[in-house]
Amino acid sequence: MSPAELFSLPFMQRALLAALFTGVAAPAVGTYLVQRRLALMGDGIGHVAVTGVAIGLLTGWSPTWTAVVVATLGAVAIELIRERGHTNGDVALALLFYGGLAGGVLVTGLGNQSAAKLQQYLFGSITTISAGDVVVTLVLAAIVIGVCVGLSPQLFAVAQDPEFARVAGLRVRGYNLLVAVLAAVSVTVAMRTVGLLLVSALMVVPVATSQQLSRSFRTTLGAAMLLGALASVGGLVIAAFASYRATVAPGPTIVLLSLLGFLVTWPVGVWLRHRARLRTPFADEPLGHEVSHDHGPHRHAHGPDCGHVAVPHDDHVDYVHDGHRHAPHDTHYDEH
């Protein structure tokens, strides 16, 4: 089949739209997770979302919407546990992750659903996506992209330096919870594309790749979204053509293509960082002989002709110089 004939098929057109929007939305929120050193949070939310999918299959509701609700609750719980910073917080998170996965498999069995039905959400099945699922995917992805780009200054400030953001008047907890909810929505958006067990790779790998080539946050965010879209669409196309000779799933192909992009750009990133270090000037060395007043009394006498410049003392700190204490608010100059 020629490319024109393949892309004219309705299911392929739906898959391409879903892959494009998923590839843009997942790295958008993944950029903030990487900035906060929570790269594996998407993986944990994916485990919890399995229970949401199973509830949808059991009740007959849309698995996408039930997964959104359960994943959002799980993401909020993960963020609250992480924020409290208890010593047993990692154990609580592990219980939440594995409990979500085990609960999903159990509920699926209770609903007399086959394991193959659940596997479509675990590893992705983008070629079977319906028109209704495409609409839901586009709407949720558009919301994620709009928030991540529109609130990028606030979200970056909270992710980069929470204490500074708090002093600046930003609601740090609120923005952290917002990122957690966006991550939950991104996971459910991408579960039909790459699957719940592989979604974290699509959220993290394009960001890591863009970091190899860029130094600013805005450039990293834009490049990650572009790389995610290219990997999603490219992986889908490669899997579609390869399926004529073997059974090739689009989800793993998308992830492997993302990893290939990282491996290609990693040597370039190493070279760019090496050049940046070479261009960095050496630290300025003090010229001449300067006397520090932080090391106790001087070992030589000072006179009007000794050649040292006058050293001002801060008027808010007590200084001990030559055995004499200078009181605060008393600006003193030594004629060296």
Side-chain angles (χ1 to χ4, degrees):
M1 181 179 293
S2 65
E5 294 175 338
L6 179 63
F7 295 145
S8 64
L9 298 176
F11 80 90
M12 192 64 184
Q13 294 174 355
R14 294 193 298 266
L16 286 173
L17 279 176
L20 176 62
F21 276 79
T22 300
V24 175
V29 66
T31 303
Y32 300 103
L33 295 180
V34 173
Q35 193 72 25
R36 295 174 57 194
R37 294 177 176 85
L38 296 175
L40 294 180
M41 186 174 183
D43 188 48
I45 297 175
H47 284 70
V48 177
V50 176
T51 299
V53 172
I55 292 175
L57 296 176
L58 176 64
T59 59
W61 297 342
S62 172
T64 301
W65 290 113
T66 54
V68 167
V69 174
V70 175
T72 300
L73 295 176
V76 171
I78 292 172
E79 177 60 29
L80 293 178
I81 293 174
R82 186 204 63 81
E83 185 185 53
R84 294 181 181 275
H86 294 318
T87 55
N88 59 346
D90 57 339
V91 177
L93 292 178
L95 295 176
L96 188 63
F97 295 169
Y98 301 131
L101 181 59
V105 176
L106 178 63
V107 173
T108 301
L110 294 177
N112 294 323
Q113 296 287 340
S114 63
K117 187 67 174 179
L118 183 61
Q119 188 174 355
Q120 294 181 0
Y121 297 91
L122 292 179
F123 298 100
S125 180
I126 193 171
T127 55
T128 62
I129 191 171
S130 64
D133 291 334
V134 171
V135 173
V136 173
T137 299
L138 298 187
V139 172
L140 293 178
I143 293 174
V144 171
I145 296 170
V147 174
C148 288
V149 176
L151 296 180
S152 59
Q154 294 88 337
L155 296 178
F156 171 73
V158 172
Q160 179 69 16
D161 192 343
E163 296 302 326
F164 172 79
R166 187 174 288 107
V167 172
L170 297 178
R171 299 180 181 272
V172 175
R173 171 179 289 183
Y175 283 110
N176 285 338
L177 290 175
L178 177 61
V179 172
V181 173
L182 292 175
V185 175
S186 298
V187 166
T188 55
V189 165
M191 68 182 181
R192 293 300 298 271
T193 305
V194 295
L196 293 173
L197 299 184
L198 297 175
V199 62
S200 185
L202 189 59
M203 299 174 70
V204 173
V205 177
V207 180
T209 304
S210 64
Q211 286 179 337
Q212 302 298 319
L213 306 176
S214 62
R215 299 273 72 88
S216 68
F217 177 79
R218 288 186 177 181
T219 306
T220 299
L221 176 62
M225 296 166 66
L226 176 61
L227 292 172
L230 292 176
S232 296
V233 175
L236 174 62
V237 173
I238 292 174
F241 282 104
S243 296
Y244 290 103
R245 297 181 177 273
T247 303
V248 180
T253 306
I254 292 172
V255 173
L256 290 176
L257 187 59
S258 299
L259 291 172
L260 178 62
F262 175 80
L263 293 177
V264 170
T265 57
W266 179 72
V268 180
V270 173
W271 178 70
L272 290 176
R273 288 189 293 271
H274 177 68
R275 287 192 59 189
R277 286 194 297 268
L278 292 179
R279 289 196 303 266
T280 302
F282 293 102
D284 294 335
E285 296 292 338
L287 299 177
H289 175 67
E290 295 183 3
V291 180
S292 173
H293 287 266
D294 296 331
H295 299 85
H298 301 299
R299 298 183 181 275
H300 64 277
H302 299 290
D305 299 325
C306 71
H308 293 132
V309 297
V311 180
H313 294 259
D314 186 46
D315 57 351
H316 295 285
V317 184
D318 288 343
Y319 287 90
V320 176
H321 175 56
D322 288 343
H324 300 286
R325 179 176 295 274
H326 303 289
H329 306 288
D330 179 20
T331 303
H332 175 74
Y333 289 87
D334 287 330
E335 294 296 332
H336 293 185

